Amino acid sequence: DTAVSQTPKYLVTQMGNDKSIKCEQNLGHDTMYWYKQDSKKFLKIMFSYNNKELIINETVPNRFSPKSPDKAHLNLHINSLELGDSAVYFCASSQKPGVGNTIYFGEGSWLTVV
Amino acid sequence: DQQVKQNSPSLSVQEGRISILNCDYTNSMFDYFLWYKKYPAEGPTFLISISSIKDKNEDGRFTVFLNKSAKHLSLHIVPSQPGDSAVYFCAATETGTASKLTFGTGTRLQVTL
């Protein structure tokens, strides 16, 4: 049973479209994250939610909107997709925020914008 | 501004030998460091961590060393096994930043027979 699962795993879409990536964790964790790995392999945090409240919001275009309907889910919606949005998006979770709480990652969602 | 750097994109080691992966950081506020391992088409998995109050942490075949004055850490794998072949990411964070990890770009380790 996958601890952090995200769907879809692969997504190819056209510029200008709106798409969502869903994430669910069954670990009972309070904190969830979205990370982005770009073409240069940099893995950078985008957002973090703790108990459904936004606690980290990096400099991300407002076309990206995370939504946390409950502690176990953190979805990522992207409006007006651009070529530069092509990347691997990783969802992750930890028991609590803060040092010492191991972060568990999902398998990634490969987004290609054409 | 790359605050965590892994200057070796790849490393090849023979099975049974020691693998040493290096990582440098520039932000002196970082006080907790982690290593993650990643196989192709999978997410990173946590391997080992170290707090800045220590200079060494060991877990089985994996040992992480931290040199705060040099802002340098390294991961030692002894003995290396073929299943260790993966990309290893160094990451750092600062107490109070809600687990905001800053990652290096990874080192691909190939363990050969």
Side-chain angles (χ1 to χ4, degrees), chain B residues 43-60:
Chain B
T45 54
F46 171 73
L47 198 55
I48 192 169
S49 62
I50 187 166
S51 163
S52 61
I53 63 172
K54 295 185 175 181
D55 53 20
K56 176 183 173 182
N57 189 26
E58 192 172 350
D59 183 3

Side-chain angles (χ1 to χ4, degrees), chain A residues 9 33 35 42 58 98-99 103 106, chain B residues 32 36 41 43 99-101 105:
Chain A
K9 182 154 186 163
Y33 311 81
Y35 278 80
F42 286 109
E58 289 297 284
V99 162
I103 297 179
Chain B
Y32 196 76
Y36 276 79
S99 298
K100 177 183 163 184
L101 295 181
T105 49

Side-chain angles (χ1 to χ4, degrees), chain A residues 9-10 33 35 37 40-43 45 48 55-56 58 90 94 96-103 105-107 110, chain B residues 2 4 31-32 36 38 40-46 89 93-106:
Chain A
K9 182 154 186 163
Y10 300 100
Y33 311 81
Y35 278 80
Q37 186 177 32
K40 294 182 180 177
K41 305 302 181 188
F42 286 109
L43 188 61
I45 191 165
S48 177
I55 57 171
I56 296 175
E58 289 297 284
F90 289 97
S94 63
K96 301 284 182 188
V99 162
N101 288 282
T102 301
I103 297 179
F105 284 84
E107 293 190 336
W110 271 254
Chain B
Q2 203 178 335
V4 177
D31 57 4
Y32 196 76
Y36 276 79
K38 185 181 181 303
E42 294 185 10
T45 54
F46 171 73
F89 289 96
T93 189
E94 176 188 342
T95 301
T97 60
S99 298
K100 177 183 163 184
L101 295 181
T102 300
F103 282 88
T105 49

Side-chain angles (χ1 to χ4, degrees), chain A residues 1 16 37 66 70 77 86 100:
Chain A
D1 211 13
Q37 186 177 32
D70 55 58
H77 190 77
S86 296

Side-chain angles (χ1 to χ4, degrees), chain B residues 3-112:
Chain B
Q3 298 184 65
V4 177
K5 299 178 185 178
Q6 294 176 255
N7 292 318
S8 298
S10 63
L11 175 68
S12 183
V13 171
Q14 269 194 321
E15 182 181 12
R17 304 269 185 144
I18 184 171
S19 295
I20 300 177
L21 295 96
N22 294 304
C23 177
D24 297 294
Y25 61 96
T26 57
N27 187 341
S28 57
M29 298 300 291
F30 288 147
D31 57 4
Y32 196 76
F33 305 88
L34 309 92
W35 285 93
Y36 276 79
K37 175 179 177 179
K38 185 181 181 303
Y39 292 117
E42 294 185 10
T45 54
F46 171 73
L47 198 55
I48 192 169
S49 62
I50 187 166
S51 163
S52 61
I53 63 172
K54 295 185 175 181
D55 53 20
K56 176 183 173 182
N57 189 26
E58 192 172 350
D59 183 3
R61 296 186 297 113
F62 303 91
T63 303
V64 56
F65 295 91
L66 175 62
N67 182 334
K68 288 188 291 294
S69 60
K71 293 192 177 68
H72 177 84
L73 63 154
S74 60
L75 174 68
H76 292 210
I77 307 173
V78 183
S80 301
Q81 299 174 355
D84 296 330
S85 296
V87 177
Y88 289 79
F89 289 96
C90 171
T93 189
E94 176 188 342
T95 301
T97 60
S99 298
K100 177 183 163 184
L101 295 181
T102 300
F103 282 88
T105 49
T107 296
R108 182 177 301 277
L109 173 66
Q110 178 85 27
V111 179
T112 58

